[in-house]
């Protein structure tokens, strides 16, 4: 999986994460995906955010365009799939590191995404990931949202 920095430099998620963990063993790593419909299809951005204790955040991201998806459930569910795929790739290489999954879903019934919260949270939790849902901590999905537009 090739990601890029905010400067456009291509990086391997394994090599990049390994370097950061070596120099910052107490880093928090958040993974999240956001999507936006565009005329030609759907843009998905998955971000890996490295949160340094009391020093800020650095992130890398992967942006892909998919064919149009008509229903919101399928579009939003693919966000979960992409985040978990990335988390599993990292977890297999770094088994002692805890990863958090930031989901761009809201517990509030006013939002359509609340219908996915239980299923998506349960799926990610079954792999042992801590899950963050809106309005709580959203580090990776904020970065992903920024690059979706």
């Amino acid at each position: 999986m090739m990601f890029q920095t905010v400067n456009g430099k291509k990086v391997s998620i394994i090599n990049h994460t390994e370097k950061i963990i070596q120099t910052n063993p107490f880093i928090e790593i958040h993974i999240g995906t956001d999507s936006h419909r565009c005329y030609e299809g759907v843009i998905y951005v998955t971000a890996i955010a490295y949160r340094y204790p009391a020093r800020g955040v650095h992130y890398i991201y992967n942006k892909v365009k998919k064919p149009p998806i008509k229903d919101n459930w399928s579009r939003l569910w693919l966000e979960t799939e992409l985040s978990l795929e990335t988390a599993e790739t990292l977890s297999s290489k770094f088994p002692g590191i805890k990863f958090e999954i930031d989901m761009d879903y809201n517990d509030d019934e006013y939002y359509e995404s609340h219908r996915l919260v239980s299923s998506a949270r349960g799926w990610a939790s079954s792999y042992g990931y801590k899950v963050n849902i809106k309005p709580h901590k959203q580090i990776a999905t904020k970065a992903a949202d920024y690059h979706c537009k």
Side-chain angles (χ1 to χ4, degrees), residues 19 30 35 38 46 49 59 62 64 69 73 86 92 94-95 98-99 103 114 123 132 142 145 149:
K19 287 177 189 172
H30 294 254
S35 64
C38 63
T46 300
Y59 67 89
N62 180 12
V64 295
I69 298 174
W73 176 276
T86 303
S92 66
F94 307 103
K98 299 289 182 194
F99 297 95
M103 295 186 176
H114 89 275
W123 187 24
N132 303 307
K142 285 188 179 193
D145 177 68
K149 298 175 181 177

Side-chain angles (χ1 to χ4, degrees), residues 87-107:
E88 283 296 286
T89 298
L90 289 172
S91 292
S92 66
K93 181 65 178 168
F94 307 103
I97 303 296
K98 299 289 182 194
F99 297 95
E100 295 186 31
I101 307 294
D102 297 348
M103 295 186 176
D104 195 31
Y105 308 147
N106 200 312
D107 271 330

Side-chain angles (χ1 to χ4, degrees), residues 50-112:
Y50 305 90
R51 184 171 187 236
Y52 302 90
R55 286 194 3 223
V57 174
H58 157 77
Y59 67 89
I60 58 176
Y61 68 97
N62 180 12
K63 186 174 190 174
V64 295
K65 189 182 291 185
K66 301 279 187 180
I69 298 174
K70 294 186 188 225
D71 68 291
N72 278 335
W73 176 276
S74 299
R75 178 181 62 85
L76 293 171
W77 189 254
L78 187 53
E79 290 179 10
T80 300
E81 291 177 12
L82 293 170
S83 292
L84 286 178
E85 177 185 321
T86 303
E88 283 296 286
T89 298
L90 289 172
S91 292
S92 66
K93 181 65 178 168
F94 307 103
I97 303 296
K98 299 289 182 194
F99 297 95
E100 295 186 31
I101 307 294
D102 297 348
M103 295 186 176
D104 195 31
Y105 308 147
N106 200 312
D107 271 330
D108 187 335
E109 290 183 15
Y110 174 79
Y111 298 96
E112 187 173 355

